[in-house]
């Protein structure tokens, strides 16, 4: 009877460890029964997305219900502020993103913004934020990082990454610095395919790794791996699945050229095509744990009980078949539980800083005038040149300046221009239609990363040739030279960035009751 008891106990421990390393998501604004059951069986983490958030009161009630089932629980969210927001997914963020903070280059401001964002998260019961992005945006063609990065200079990115980590964690929310070892030098979105970075180790050490070293020195409690292939580190496996990247670089002592990180290693979403289309989610998760990851993030796209059970069973099977060392799984589970026990769930340590986000957005605004410019006083026509949103941002979150301009100039209207419309009608016809819609009113053209979209650049050039007094608002990375009678670079598309731009265009700020 004794061997049977040992076997049952071992199986139960193994299953609980397999559940402990998962960070799954779910649908809806209340906790489903299956999730509550799995928390009782060993699940230690839950990931939240925009679909789970209605308002702060609902979110606090949701996290409270989860903690009623398991007190020591990691509740994580992807709240970068700026373009990537889950707290304010349907209205736009009250905080500018990293690129705006980098443009200001005031680390005290970055620290204050991160502290206030962390305070709001903590008040809602969230204790792990999958942020900040520490990627150096060295490739202007990058389709997924862009304004999510503090900038293209490694030292600037490093000092603001450290400030962000310190500010967020001072509010009681653990930071998860991403996307290790750096997603900035890619022209491919890992949501869709496997990016490859050809840089050698000296370049990685001097560029990509500089902000991550700063984050580790600042005490970041977690680091998220990237699904990117770096042959200089590992010619076969992307970083998430690479022992050389996770164990050999991130964990290795500084004396051996590593970062000496001893906190939680979290994977990026395993359902992303860079992993799922190449390895499959189950095998990818096993390889990630074996490589040194501690927590498997899944739930952005796959968010039901089935995926939790599939991954749990795959990890248990891998241990029993000798593919994943049992001790490696146990160590990973222990790290997850340690963070769950340490992380606070209230923001009592941070004093409120209302308006800090708008203050930062105003400071980040860069204005270039071709000559004297008359502020807008009457309703205008906003031409929104709209690219396809990347998956990290999502298409639920509004962007542009029309809503904020309408608050200041009632009657303002918007005409949306897309690549498909330009291809179908031709650029000249598209702009002719836009001018007809404007009906003699002044125009404001809103673009996003115009340097990455030839159709957008062509349409904007045609519009400015026909209507030179058009103001241009660039809400992405301002890589292209300023154009228009007035050019505003907001360094991001957060709601507060739009508000700062609208104020500059009209020359006035709304009163508090407007």
């Amino acid at each position: 009877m004794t061997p049977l008891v040992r076997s049952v106990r071992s199986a139960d421990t193994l299953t609980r460890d397999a559940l402990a390393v998962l960070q799954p998501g779910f649908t809806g604004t209340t906790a489903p029964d299956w999730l509550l059951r799995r928390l009782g069986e060993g699940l230690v983490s839950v990931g939240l997305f925009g679909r789970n958030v209605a308002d702060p009161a609902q979110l606090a009630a949701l996290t409270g219900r989860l903690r009623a089932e398991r007190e020591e629980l990691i509740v994580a969210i992807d709240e970068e502020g700026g373009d990537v927001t889950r707290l304010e997914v349907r209205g736009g963020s009250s905080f500018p993103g990293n690129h705006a903070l980098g443009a200001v280059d005031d680390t005290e401001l970055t620290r204050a913004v991160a502290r206030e964002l962390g305070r709001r998260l903590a008040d809602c019961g969230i204790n792990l934020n999958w942020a900040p992005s520490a990627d150096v945006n060295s490739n202007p063609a990058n389709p997924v990082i862009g304004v999510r990065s503090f900038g293209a200079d490694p030292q600037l990115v490093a000092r603001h990454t450290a400030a962000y980590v310190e500010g967020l964690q001072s509010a009681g929310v653990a930071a998860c610095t991403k996307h290790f070892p750096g997603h900035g030098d890619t022209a491919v979105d890992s949501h869709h395919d496997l990016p490859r970075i050809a840089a050698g180790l000296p370049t990685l050490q001097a560029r990509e790794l500089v902000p991550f070293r700063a984050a580790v020195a600042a005490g970041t409690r977690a680091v998220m791996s990237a699904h990117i292939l770096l042959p200089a580190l590992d010619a076969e496996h992307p970083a998430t699945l690479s022992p050389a990247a996770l164990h050999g670089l991130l964990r290795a002592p500084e004396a051996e050229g590593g970062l000496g990180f001893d906190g939680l290693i979290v994977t990026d979403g395993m359902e992303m095509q860079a992993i799922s289309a190449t390895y499959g989610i189950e095998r990818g998760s096993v390889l990630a744990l074996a490589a040194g990851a501690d927590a498997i993030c899944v739930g952005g796209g796959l968010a039901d009980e089935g995926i939790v059970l599939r991954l749990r069973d795959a990890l248990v099977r891998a241990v029993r078949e000798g593919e994943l060392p049992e001790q490696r799984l146990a160590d990973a589970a222990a790290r997850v539980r340690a963070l769950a026990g340490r992380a606070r769930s209230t923001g009592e340590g941070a004093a409120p800083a209302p308006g800090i986000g708008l203050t930062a957005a105003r400071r980040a605004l860069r204005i270039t005038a071709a000559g004297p410019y008359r502020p807008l006083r009457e309703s205008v026509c906003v031409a929104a040149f709209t690219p396809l949103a990347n998956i990290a941002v999502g298409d639920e979150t509004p962007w542009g300046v029309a809503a904020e301009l309408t608050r200041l100039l009632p009657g303002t209207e918007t005409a949306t221009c897309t690549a498909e419309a330009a291809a179908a009608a031709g650029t000249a016809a598209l702009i002719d239609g836009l001018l007809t819609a404007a009906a003699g009113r002044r125009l404001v053209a809103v673009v996003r990363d115009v340097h990455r979209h030839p159709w957008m650049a062509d349409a904007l050039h045609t519009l400015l040739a026909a209507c030179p007094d058009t103001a241009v608002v660039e809400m992405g990375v301002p890589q292209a030279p300023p154009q228009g009678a007035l050019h505003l670079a907001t360094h991001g598309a957060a709601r507060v960035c739009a508000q700062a731009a609208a104020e500059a265009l009209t020359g006035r700020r709304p009163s508090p009751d407007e």
Side-chain angles (χ1 to χ4, degrees), residues 116-140:
E116 174 62 13
L117 178 58
R119 186 192 66 80
R120 295 192 191 184
L121 290 172
D123 281 351
C124 293
I126 293 164
N127 55 8
L128 175 65
N129 191 10
W130 293 318
S133 291
D135 308 290
V136 178
N137 199 50
S138 53
N139 186 344

Side-chain angles (χ1 to χ4, degrees), residues 419-430:
E420 293 77 12
T427 300
L430 181 73

Side-chain angles (χ1 to χ4, degrees), residues 63-423:
T63 60
R65 179 67 186 92
L66 294 171
R67 285 203 171 81
E69 199 66 38
R70 173 179 287 276
E71 184 177 357
E72 293 189 347
L73 176 69
I74 295 174
V75 181
I77 200 167
D78 191 8
E79 180 58 52
E80 299 176 15
D83 291 30
V84 179
T85 178
R86 311 307 178 209
L87 286 184
E88 300 177 278
V89 64
R90 293 166 192 85
S93 181
S94 300
F95 303 92
N98 286 0
H99 208 58
L101 296 172
V104 179
D105 195 13
D106 178 348
T107 54
E108 285 304 315
L109 179 67
T110 295
R111 190 174 288 105
V113 167
R115 184 183 301 114
E116 174 62 13
L117 178 58
R119 186 192 66 80
R120 295 192 191 184
L121 290 172
D123 281 351
C124 293
I126 293 164
N127 55 8
L128 175 65
N129 191 10
W130 293 318
S133 291
D135 308 290
V136 178
N137 199 50
S138 53
N139 186 344
N142 197 311
V144 67
I145 301 300
V147 294
R148 300 168 67 197
S149 166
F150 289 110
D153 175 62
Q155 297 299 329
L156 179 145
V157 176
R159 61 180 173 265
H160 286 278
T161 295
Y164 196 105
V165 166
E166 292 164 357
L168 188 66
Q169 295 189 163
S170 72
V173 176
C176 182
T177 305
K178 60 188 183 185
H179 308 78
F180 182 84
H183 207 311
D185 190 19
T186 65
V188 173
D189 184 344
S190 51
H191 290 90
H192 303 298
D193 205 345
L194 178 61
R196 184 180 188 275
I197 295 180
L201 280 176
T203 299
L204 294 177
Q205 291 285 359
R207 189 178 63 189
E208 273 76 14
L209 296 180
V210 174
F212 288 97
R213 290 188 186 279
V216 172
T220 186
R221 293 185 184 171
V223 169
M224 177 177 283
S225 65
H227 306 329
I228 54 177
L229 188 67
L230 296 99
L233 283 176
D234 188 325
E236 182 179 356
H237 301 102
T240 293
L241 312 183
S242 170
L246 301 187
H247 181 73
L249 182 59
L250 183 54
R251 291 275 191 228
E254 292 184 69
E256 299 175 14
L259 275 67
F261 179 63
D262 194 39
L264 190 74
I265 299 178
V266 183
T267 72
D268 207 344
M270 296 300 285
E271 64 267 57
M272 293 164 64
Q273 292 296 300
I275 299 295
S276 62
T278 306
Y279 297 88
I281 294 176
E282 291 97 331
R283 176 157 178 75
S285 296
V286 170
L287 291 174
L289 264 294
D294 303 308
I296 302 297
C297 180
V298 65
L302 298 173
D304 57 21
E305 185 176 23
I307 188 62
V308 172
L309 299 181
R310 281 169 55 194
L311 294 182
R312 179 201 65 183
D313 293 347
L315 295 175
V316 170
R317 186 167 55 250
V319 170
R320 288 176 173 164
E321 294 177 356
E323 188 177 7
L324 176 64
E326 185 172 0
Q327 189 58 50
R328 171 78 275 272
L329 178 61
D331 289 345
R335 273 202 175 90
V336 175
R337 294 186 187 109
L339 182 59
R342 178 183 180 187
R344 294 167 48 194
S345 60
T346 65
E348 294 174 359
I356 187 68
L358 180 56
T359 296
R362 287 168 175 159
R363 290 183 62 186
L365 192 66
R366 298 293 179 266
I367 303 173
T368 305
Y373 184 82
R374 293 179 295 110
L376 304 177
R377 294 289 185 247
E378 299 175 344
S379 65
V380 298
C381 181
V382 176
F385 293 91
T386 305
L388 185 65
N390 74 57
I391 292 178
V393 174
D395 55 12
E396 285 184 284
T397 306
W399 74 285
V401 299
E404 296 300 326
L405 277 177
T406 300
R407 289 178 60 210
L408 300 174
L409 305 173
T412 290
E413 295 181 356
T414 303
T416 300
C417 307
T418 64
E420 293 77 12

Side-chain angles (χ1 to χ4, degrees), residues 373-385 399-403 405-406 409 412-417 434-435 438 441-447 460 463-464 467-475 483-488 490 498 501-502 504-506:
Y373 184 82
R374 293 179 295 110
L376 304 177
R377 294 289 185 247
E378 299 175 344
S379 65
V380 298
C381 181
V382 176
F385 293 91
W399 74 285
V401 299
L405 277 177
T406 300
L409 305 173
T412 290
E413 295 181 356
T414 303
T416 300
C417 307
L434 179 59
L435 294 175
R441 288 176 293 177
R442 294 175 69 181
L443 280 158
V444 175
V446 186
V447 296
L460 181 61
L463 174 60
L464 293 176
C467 195
D469 68 343
T470 297
V472 177
V473 182
E474 167 63 85
M475 303 196 81
Q483 303 175 72
L486 190 71
H487 184 274
L488 281 68
T490 62
L505 288 167
T506 60

